[in-house]
Amino acid sequence: MEKLFKLKQNGTNIQTEVYAGFTTFLTMVYIIAVNPVILSSAGVPFDQVFMATIISAVVGTLIMAFFANYPIAIAPGMGLNAYFATVVASEGLSYQVIFGAVFLAGLLFILLSLTNLRETLIKAIPSSLKYGITAGVGLFIAFLGLRMSGIVQDDEANLVALGDLHQGVPLLTIVGLFVTLILLALNVKGALFVGMILTGVIGFFTNQLSFDGVVSVPPTPVFFDVDIGGVFSQGLYAVVFVFLLITLFDTTGTMVGVGEQAGFIKDGKLPRARAALMADAVATTTGSAFGTSPSTAYIESAAGVGAGGRTGLTSLVVGILFILSMFFSPVVAAISNLPAITAPVLIIVGSFMMEGLARIDWKSFDEAFPAFAIILTMPLTSSIATGIAVGFITYPLLKLVSGKGKQVHWVLYLFAIIFLIQMIFFPVH
C-alpha cells in the first residue's frame, strides 16, 4: 500500500486514507438510490440502473485510484441523468437510443483525453457560460425534486403551482428537507445520506415506506442494451454533444476544485490529469454499456480530502464500498419508491450548483445575459440542451455587435452556428 499509493510522500497513512474513503462514500452514496429513480422514469428497469450505477462508479473510481492516484471518486452525474430522462420523454425515443448517444459521447471523451483538444475546448468557452450551465443544471434538478415530491405541481393557469402540502409525500419531503438542512448546517459528515436515512425512518413509522428485504443477491447486470444506429438515424448529434460538453466541464471543474483543496495543483496544472480524465471517460462508456447516464468526478470527494485523503487509497476504499452496496438492492428499491427520501437531495444538490454565479461579471451585459439566458431557459423548457444552445448563440452575437468579436475564440462561433442550425432544424425539446 505504501509503495503503490506513495502514502509517506503525500503525508498520509492507511488509517487516514480509509477514514477519508468512508467519508467520501457516505457523502455520495445517495446516487445509488437517486439515479435509478430518475432513469426509471424514462423506462429503464430499476435493477439495470442500480447495477450500472455501481459498475460505472467502481470502474471509474478504481482507475482513478490505481492510475491517477487521486482521492477523487467517480459516479453517474446529477443533472446528466435528468437530461437523459427528459430527452427520452420529449423525443419519444427508446432509452436504448439515448444510451447509444452516451456511449458515443464516452468514446469521444476518451479520444479527447488522449489529445490537447480538451484544453482548447475548455479555454475557448468563457467562464460565464460554464458557471451559467452549472447553475442552470442546478435549478433544473432542484425543480425536478420539487415536482417529483408533489411540493410543486402542474397548473393550467400558471404552468406550475404549489401542491397539496397536507398529502403524505409532500409533507414528508419538507420534513426530510429541513432535517437534512440542519445536518448540513451542523457540518455532519455524510449529511445527505444521513438525511435520507432519517427521512426513511420517519416514512417507515408513518407507513409510507415498507421493505421486502434488506440483503439479496445482486441483480444480474444487463450488458450493451444500446442502439448506436438509432443515434445516426434520428440525428441525435446535439444530444451527444451536450452529454460530452457537460461531462467535460463538470469533471474538469471538479478535479481542479478538489485538486486545489488538496494542494495537488502545481504551476496552474494538475499532474496526471490525463489519467484522471480517462477514469471518467472510461466510466461513462462502461456505464452506458450497462445502462446509466454519463459519469463524472464528484465534488463530494472534497469531503474525503477534508478528512485527510491524499492518495488513490481513498478512492480504492470508495470503490470497495460501492461493490458491497450492490448486495442491498431491496433497501435501495424501497427508498427509490418513496420520492420524499430522494427529493431533498435533488433540491439541496441544486443549491450547491449555484456557487459559480458569484463569479459572473453581472455588470458586463455581454457576459451576464448569455449566462442569465442559460439559467432561465433550462428549468423553464425542461431542457438542458436548449439552455446551452441559447447561451452559445447569444454570447458570440453580443460580443460581435459590441465590438468585442476578436475576444471570442473561433470555436465558439462554430458552436453558435451548429446550435442555431440544430435549434431550427433538429430541436431537442
Side-chain angles (χ1 to χ4, degrees), residues 11 19 59 139 180 200 221 223 245 261 272 308 357 376 388 402 404:
Y19 175 68
V59 169
L139 286 180
T180 310
F223 183 67
L245 193 68
Q261 179 190 2
R272 306 183 302 283
L357 293 180
L376 179 70
I388 291 175
S402 60
K404 303 176 184 176

Side-chain angles (χ1 to χ4, degrees), residues 323-407:
I323 292 172
L324 294 176
S325 69
M326 69 174 60
F327 293 93
F328 295 91
S329 61
V331 175
V332 176
I335 290 172
S336 301
N337 286 328
L338 182 57
I341 298 177
T342 51
V345 174
L346 294 174
I347 296 167
I348 293 171
V349 170
S351 75
F352 291 160
M353 299 175 77
M354 298 293 107
E355 180 185 3
L357 293 180
R359 304 177 190 178
I360 296 175
D361 183 5
W362 292 104
K363 293 182 180 179
S364 178
F365 184 75
D366 51 11
E367 291 284 338
F369 185 82
F372 167 76
I374 293 172
I375 298 164
L376 179 70
T377 307
M378 280 189 187
L380 292 184
T381 63
S382 295
S383 173
I384 293 173
T386 300
I388 291 175
V390 170
F392 274 66
I393 292 170
T394 54
Y395 186 89
L397 176 63
L398 292 179
K399 288 291 185 181
L400 194 62
V401 298
S402 60
K404 303 176 184 176
K406 292 183 179 180
Q407 296 178 8

Side-chain angles (χ1 to χ4, degrees), residues 125 214 246 249 354 416:
I125 299 173
V214 176
I246 299 178
F249 293 151
M354 298 293 107

Side-chain angles (χ1 to χ4, degrees), residues 116-126 129 241 245 248-249 392-393 395-396 405-419:
N116 294 324
L117 185 58
R118 177 186 58 85
E119 284 82 1
T120 302
L121 285 172
I122 293 171
K123 290 178 181 177
I125 299 173
L129 291 187
F241 180 73
L245 193 68
L248 185 68
F249 293 151
F392 274 66
I393 292 170
Y395 186 89
K406 292 183 179 180
Q407 296 178 8
V408 181
H409 198 283
W410 66 267
V411 171
L412 231 62
Y413 288 112
L414 177 62
F415 284 166
I417 294 171
I418 292 172
F419 275 125

Side-chain angles (χ1 to χ4, degrees), residues 106-118:
L107 291 180
L108 289 173
F109 198 6
I110 290 175
L111 293 175
L112 284 175
S113 299
L114 295 172
T115 69
N116 294 324
L117 185 58
R118 177 186 58 85

Side-chain angles (χ1 to χ4, degrees), residues 81-105:
N81 47 15
Y83 173 58
F84 181 102
T86 56
V87 171
V88 173
S90 63
E91 296 296 312
L93 300 170
S94 69
Y95 63 80
Q96 288 91 345
V97 174
I98 312 303
F99 280 141
V102 177
F103 185 80
L104 292 176

Side-chain angles (χ1 to χ4, degrees), residues 153-162:
Q153 62 184 17
D154 294 335
D155 182 76
E156 290 186 7
N158 301 304
L159 298 181
V160 292
L162 191 66

